[in-house]
Amino acid sequence: MSNFVPKPFNDLSKIALKKAETVVCWGKTLIVAPHPDDESLGCGGAIALLRKHNLEVGVLTMSDGTLSHPNSKKFPPEKLRDIRESEMIAALEILGVSSDKVKFLRLGDRRVPGENATDFTAAVETIKDFLAADQPETIVVPWRRDPHPDHRATWQIFSAANDLFDVKFRILEYPIWLWEMAETKDLPRENEIEIWRLDVSETIEKKQRAIHAHLSQTTDLIDDDPNGFRLSPEVLAHFAAPFEIYLEEIK
Ligand SMILES: [Zn+2]
């Protein structure tokens, strides 16, 4: 499967390095992570750059992440949730975001409601209220067709919430599982999306440390679940580049 990384993601050199725009244009930014670790993998370099420029960064985590090691006796769901949340706080501390800026919605892992779910409207209302109070200038969410149901559902909730505002928030999207698991239908379509690279060479070292602060996802910290999840070297390699990929809808 790792050989199947369809265009345009199989040739990063063809994706433009957008020099005209830096994170300074993002202003106050809300980073949305379906699970603890998506923020560091997808946007860690940008987060550290934003903070370097003294821009406010908030982070909203949708799910509790408790399905990464569903059979662990040492880490039953509540303990696993706590450890994943504390890892995320540690990771964001490295990137320059203090714990009071990090919020956890604690929806069920793999149960973030997508547009066909009965509790979708309630989730959209929650996010609408959150955005009305928080007023970010830029919202960064997973790619709309990222091959994980929670990632897609997260985009759907934010997209629907944004539709409820007269003046729309700027939304950027980041890929996580698109690299490894995309089918052709998951990829950006012609004239749908602008794709660009953000140079994060200044902050890549911090980003790597933040990713590896998620010890439960990158080490044998939880060693009693043979089916436990672990980020593979192949997956991690996509997030070791000195740039991040962002996608923005063409209006
Ligand atoms: Zn995720």
Side-chain angles (χ1 to χ4, degrees), residues 123-135 161 165:
V124 172
E125 283 296 317
T126 301
I127 295 304
K128 187 192 93 180
D129 293 346
F130 182 89
L131 293 175
D134 190 55
Q135 289 293 327
F165 290 92

Side-chain angles (χ1 to χ4, degrees), residues 95-217:
L95 299 172
V97 179
S98 57
S99 60
D100 59 309
K101 304 282 184 201
V102 189
K103 302 264 180 297
F104 297 97
L105 275 192
R106 293 184 171 177
L107 297 167
D109 200 345
R110 280 211 172 245
R111 296 210 327 262
V112 177
E115 56 199 359
N116 298 319
T118 47
D119 43 355
F120 180 70
T121 311
V124 172
E125 283 296 317
T126 301
I127 295 304
K128 187 192 93 180
D129 293 346
F130 182 89
L131 293 175
D134 190 55
Q135 289 293 327
E137 290 168 77
T138 301
I139 305 169
V140 190
V141 299
W143 164 240
R144 60 188 67 192
R145 293 188 293 279
D146 209 63
H148 186 302
D150 287 346
H151 288 219
R152 289 171 188 239
T154 298
W155 178 84
Q156 289 163 5
I157 292 167
F158 274 82
S159 178
N162 201 21
D163 285 345
L164 301 173
F165 290 92
D166 293 333
V167 179
K168 310 293 181 214
F169 293 95
R170 181 184 187 194
I171 295 187
L172 299 175
E173 301 171 39
Y174 62 91
I176 295 285
W177 296 107
L178 196 61
W179 301 104
E180 288 284 316
M181 295 164 67
E183 295 175 34
T184 304
K185 62 182 169 49
D186 302 330
L187 294 173
R189 296 163 190 154
E190 214 176 329
N191 300 322
E192 178 190 31
I193 284 285
E194 186 184 18
I195 309 173
W196 43 276
R197 294 196 295 177
L198 178 75
D199 183 347
V200 298
S201 52
E202 268 181 83
T203 52
I204 186 66
E205 184 269 333
K206 277 189 181 177
K207 171 176 173 157
Q208 291 305 303
R209 280 200 285 134
I211 290 171
H212 290 279
H214 291 277
L215 291 172
S216 67
Q217 310 299 297

Side-chain angles (χ1 to χ4, degrees), residues 65-73 75 80 84 215-232:
T66 53
L67 279 187
S68 69
H69 298 77
N71 308 308
S72 172
K73 298 258 182 312
F75 291 89
L80 182 53
R84 295 206 65 183
L215 291 172
S216 67
Q217 310 299 297
T218 54
T219 72
D220 287 333
L221 178 76
I222 301 175
D223 58 5
D224 65 339
D225 183 351
N227 298 320
F229 175 79
R230 175 129 174 215
L231 286 161
S232 69

